Amino acid sequence: MKQLEAVNDFVIKFANINGSGSASANLMFAKSIFRMGVPVSPRNIFPSNIQGLPTWYEVRINEKGYLGARDGVDFMVAMNSESMAADIASIEPGGYLLYDSTRELPRHMHRDDITLFGVPLTEMCNREYNDPRQRQLFKNIIYVGALAALLDMDTAVINDVINEQFKGKEKLVIPNIHALDMGRDYALEHFNCPIGLTVKRSDQVGDKIFIDGNSAAALGCVYGGATFASWYPITPSSSLAEAFGSYCEKYRVESETDKKRYAMLQAEDELAAIGMVIGAGWNGSRAFTATSGPGISLMSEFLGLAYFAEIPSVIFDVQRTGPSTGMPTRNQQSDILACAYASHGDTKHLLLIPNDPFECFELSAQAFDLADHFQTPVIVISDLDIGMNDHITQPFEWDDTRRYNRGKIMTQEDLDAGRDFGRYLDVDGDGVCYRTYPGTHPERGSFFTRGTSRDPYARYTEDGKIYAENMRRLDLKFETAARALPGPVTHMASEETDLAVIYYGSTSHAMQESLDQLADHGLTLNAMRLRAFPFSPDVKDFIDQHSSIIVVEQNRDAQMRTLLINELETLPEKLMPVTYFEGSPITAKYITAEVLKRLSPNKVTPLRGAQK
């Protein structure tokens, strides 16, 4: 049997039971590799129930920086008897298995093409600890210690991570390090260490940080000036609101008076949550809510109100698998059309689409400027993979001289000077009107906010011509916004080509790797990553410059392709869909295979390996 051999390039997967306390140990393992300077990409795969079902934690280690999900498992840590047969079957030939050998591995699970490492974890814990919970928790740390020996990891780095993990709880540090040493010593005594897969110190991380997208977005809200948040808990967005609360406790409480300079409310449902945000936005606060697809459905009526009454508001949609309840803890990009056209009637919303935690931070802060400037809802569309998983990303940047863009505000001085104020009066010809904050002036500048039709001075009317003029102005505002939103990111191939690919969001990591794979197959593609809707004029130009374009997305109905065709009036046959909607993150292998199927007539077969 030929064992797999690789340095800083393999996938290890932990199979555990939900509620077993394994999450912190598995994250500790991933952080330790990151601290060794090696790019790492962990993904938590968990069920939607509270406790008892199988859960997995997959860690991709890749020194080249390919951080998308990868098919296949090179090393399996199988701690769950319920899923063990399938877990063992998923191991690549030549791979490795670590399991609890307190009970003998059933013969039907043995494979001749993998290497087995049996560690009597339960027996060791029963001998060492009396408390049942300690036995369970320290079992996870022991297998991390065994992995440290097998993979030749730097134990000092893991010790440092343990010290950080339990900072302020020093009594837990020594027992955890002891458990780590137990596993490491057992592996060194019983196995030939290291094995073919090893982790060596590297310098490929630099000054990058390790954070999940929801935490990054929450921090962006703080820096973006948000002072109010309301939400109804829903996976996978709840941690965004919770992180905002934690950051506010640290940064938004006056040290002198102990007064909180923020407000948070857990609403009774999603409709109430967005209603509170609209009320706060109308009063001049920067406010947001966080939800997922089912919440967007419930919020649609109020989103139409905010669009038509022109009230700034920010919504975070951390997408999951739908429709209905779907698979609440699985990934998709299936809310594109629901967000773009949320509510009945002719409504369109500004969308920002980050691809990693850095952009979650950056675009979250920018969302509040855009909402204020264009006086409209702005929806930041993330997904479970970005939001709930830790990613390596560049450090966040903030210019302390930056001033918030509050948009067109009519002040008391303006009103006293006799300026004409009409809440829905387009003075500058860009579709964006002036507004006043409540209490701006004791006598002037007031207006009545309603969801029914009105004239430029906010007076109720059902005159069809006036209504149509107002709707055309809203459309003009939408066109103006297209030039103010973050532009697409374009990568032009080294060789001239009229073939291209368009993608967005969490597909980006797999797409970057796939472009290299396609080049190895002789297929050169230009690439564009979308970051916002309405689309920049650059998107239309990019499409016009190519004969065939693949649109890659993680939903069944090719929703972004539909949006491109609908908004840019592009010929449908020019945009070829590649879709993936199984709930797990899309992989480069999948993208490459699907693109080759569609563009094979344009493919140039490489000469290497051909017979002479």
Side-chain angles (χ1 to χ4, degrees), residues 395-414:
F396 303 154
E397 300 172 355
W398 188 259
D399 183 358
D400 287 333
T401 65
R402 175 174 169 176
R403 295 293 176 264
Y404 298 141
N405 176 4
R406 300 310 302 260
K408 298 180 180 182
I409 305 297
M410 192 80 75
T411 66
Q412 180 172 348
E413 291 75 17
D414 294 329

Side-chain angles (χ1 to χ4, degrees), residues 262-295:
Y262 68 97
M264 289 189 69
L265 286 171
Q266 180 177 322
E268 63 266 32
D269 55 34
E270 288 87 351
L271 191 59
I274 186 64
M276 294 176 190
V277 168
I278 292 170
W282 181 87
N283 272 285
S285 172
R286 291 194 154 188
F288 76 92
T289 186
T291 190
S292 190

Side-chain angles (χ1 to χ4, degrees), residues 8-62:
N8 296 346
D9 185 16
F10 58 91
V11 171
I12 182 167
K13 193 170 187 177
F14 300 84
N16 300 99
I17 298 173
N18 200 28
S20 64
S22 59
S24 63
N26 298 340
L27 178 58
M28 199 180 296
F29 172 81
K31 280 184 176 180
S32 299
I33 294 174
F34 171 71
R35 296 290 177 82
M36 290 176 67
V38 183
V40 61
S41 178
R43 284 175 173 82
N44 194 12
I45 307 162
F46 58 100
S48 56
N49 77 330
I50 296 174
Q51 188 169 341
L53 289 181
T55 183
W56 296 267
Y57 189 83
E58 185 174 283
V59 180
R60 183 176 185 184
I61 301 156
N62 186 271

Side-chain angles (χ1 to χ4, degrees), residues 373-393:
H373 183 83
F374 292 103
Q375 302 167 28
T376 195
V378 174
I379 305 176
V380 183
I381 302 185
S382 176
D383 60 34
L384 185 147
D385 186 28
I386 299 173
M388 294 194 71
N389 289 318
D390 291 288
H391 298 264
I392 293 178
T393 189

Side-chain angles (χ1 to χ4, degrees), residues 422-452:
R423 176 61 186 93
Y424 303 106
L425 183 64
D426 185 6
V427 177
D428 302 319
D430 58 3
V432 184
C433 306
Y434 284 81
R435 63 177 174 138
T436 57
Y437 292 137
T440 294
H441 196 285
E443 298 175 354
R444 302 173 187 147
S446 62
F447 61 93
F448 192 80
T449 304
R450 64 175 84 240
T452 47

Side-chain angles (χ1 to χ4, degrees), residues 298-463:
L298 291 170
M299 293 178 184
S300 290
E301 182 179 357
F302 263 170
L303 281 170
L305 169 64
Y307 171 81
F308 196 53
E310 300 180 67
I311 301 172
S313 46
V314 173
I315 301 93
F316 290 89
D317 176 18
V318 188
Q319 299 170 100
R320 69 188 204 187
T321 302
S324 188
T325 307
M327 294 193 291
T329 59
R330 296 294 185 263
N331 194 65
Q332 259 187 19
Q333 298 173 317
S334 53
D335 298 345
I336 301 301
L337 292 175
C339 288
Y341 301 128
S343 195
H344 54 280
D346 292 322
T347 54
K348 291 181 182 179
H349 301 294
L350 308 189
L351 310 183
L352 301 179
I353 312 173
N355 78 318
D356 64 6
F358 178 83
E359 286 197 351
C360 284
F361 171 80
E362 188 178 57
L363 298 187
S364 295
Q366 188 176 1
F368 294 95
D369 277 352
L370 292 168
D372 271 350
H373 183 83
F374 292 103
Q375 302 167 28
T376 195
V378 174
I379 305 176
V380 183
I381 302 185
S382 176
D383 60 34
L384 185 147
D385 186 28
I386 299 173
M388 294 194 71
N389 289 318
D390 291 288
H391 298 264
I392 293 178
T393 189
Q394 63 196 91
F396 303 154
E397 300 172 355
W398 188 259
D399 183 358
D400 287 333
T401 65
R402 175 174 169 176
R403 295 293 176 264
Y404 298 141
N405 176 4
R406 300 310 302 260
K408 298 180 180 182
I409 305 297
M410 192 80 75
T411 66
Q412 180 172 348
E413 291 75 17
D414 294 329
L415 295 167
D416 283 336
R419 284 191 62 179
D420 184 22
F421 175 68
R423 176 61 186 93
Y424 303 106
L425 183 64
D426 185 6
V427 177
D428 302 319
D430 58 3
V432 184
C433 306
Y434 284 81
R435 63 177 174 138
T436 57
Y437 292 137
T440 294
H441 196 285
E443 298 175 354
R444 302 173 187 147
S446 62
F447 61 93
F448 192 80
T449 304
R450 64 175 84 240
T452 47
S453 181
R454 69 275 161 169
D455 70 9
Y457 291 90
R459 296 173 301 206
Y460 170 74
T461 179
E462 292 189 21
D463 186 310

